[in-house]
């Protein structure tokens, strides 16, 4: 059985994550996803929208994933690869070259990211929503419902 292992935060799970996991799973028979814990994210200066337990549950629900483990430190990768019996370490190509040091124990594959989608991009787009924007959006939605209702005869 060929095993593939990958690492990530997997916050705000989106289609880019799904496509990456699907491609990674196609490289082998068993996919292990190692997710950064909240404590490890804090050490990296990051904060996830969803907690580790929530992110783990979301990733475990993905049909391409066979096992989810916690990432506690940068240094655990070699031990994880060896202990899991992983044949391939697969990562997004934004990490190209960063994990070549493990080529003595497994194959390293960097896959292209899904274009036009990233957690960072989603967070940036969500950050521009203000109470004023939300109020305008709500008014627009009510106006649209009103127009659709009048056109369909619902309001008659």
């Amino acid at each position: 059985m060929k095993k593939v292992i990958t690492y990530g935060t997997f916050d705000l799970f989106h289609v880019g994550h799904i496509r990456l996991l699907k491609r990674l799973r196609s490289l082998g028979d068993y996919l292990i996803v190692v997710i950064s814990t909240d404590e490890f994210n804090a050490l990296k200066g990051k904060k996830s929208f969803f907690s580790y337990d929530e992110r783990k549950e979301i990733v475990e629900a993905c049909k391409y994933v066979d096992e989810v483990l916690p990432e506690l430190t940068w240094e655990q990768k070699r031990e994880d690869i060896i202990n899991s019996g992983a044949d391939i370490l697969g990562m997004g190509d934004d990490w190209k070259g960063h994990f070549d040091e493990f080529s003595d124990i497994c194959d390293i594959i960097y896959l292209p990211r899904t274009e036009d989608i990233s957690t960072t991009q989603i967070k940036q787009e969500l950050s521009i929503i203000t109470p004023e924007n939300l109020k305008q959006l709500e008014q627009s939605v009510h106006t649209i419902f009103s127009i659709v209702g009048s056109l369909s005869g619902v309001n008659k």
Side-chain angles (χ1 to χ4, degrees), residues 108-119:
I108 313 299
I109 297 177
Y110 299 102
L111 297 171
R113 295 178 57 93
T114 303
E115 289 189 34
D116 301 324
I117 184 89
S118 74
T119 300

Side-chain angles (χ1 to χ4, degrees), residues 65-122:
V65 176
D66 296 293
E67 185 177 355
V68 174
L69 301 172
E71 182 177 25
L72 306 168
T73 68
W74 287 113
E75 297 78 24
Q76 78 183 63
K77 286 179 182 65
R78 180 169 292 277
E79 188 175 318
D80 288 346
I81 293 165
I82 292 168
N83 290 342
S84 68
D87 302 288
I88 298 170
L89 168 61
M91 298 293 293
D93 64 2
D94 53 327
W95 288 98
K96 193 165 186 76
H98 284 85
F99 301 110
D100 293 351
E101 67 188 87
F102 303 117
S103 62
D104 62 324
I105 56 174
C106 67
D107 293 329
I108 313 299
I109 297 177
Y110 299 102
L111 297 171
R113 295 178 57 93
T114 303
E115 289 189 34
D116 301 324
I117 184 89
S118 74
T119 300
T120 302
Q121 174 193 352
I122 292 169

Side-chain angles (χ1 to χ4, degrees), residues 96-156:
K96 193 165 186 76
H98 284 85
F99 301 110
D100 293 351
E101 67 188 87
F102 303 117
S103 62
D104 62 324
I105 56 174
C106 67
D107 293 329
I108 313 299
I109 297 177
Y110 299 102
L111 297 171
R113 295 178 57 93
T114 303
E115 289 189 34
D116 301 324
I117 184 89
S118 74
T119 300
T120 302
Q121 174 193 352
I122 292 169
K123 286 181 177 182
Q124 287 171 347
E125 289 178 15
L126 288 174
S127 71
I128 64 169
I129 296 177
T130 64
E132 283 178 7
N133 297 118
L134 204 52
K135 187 72 173 168
Q136 288 173 346
L137 181 60
E138 183 181 16
Q139 288 171 347
S140 297
V141 168
H142 285 299
T143 301
I144 291 168
F145 283 151
S146 219
I147 292 168
V148 170
S150 67
L151 292 174
S152 66
V154 172
N155 292 337
K156 293 182 181 180

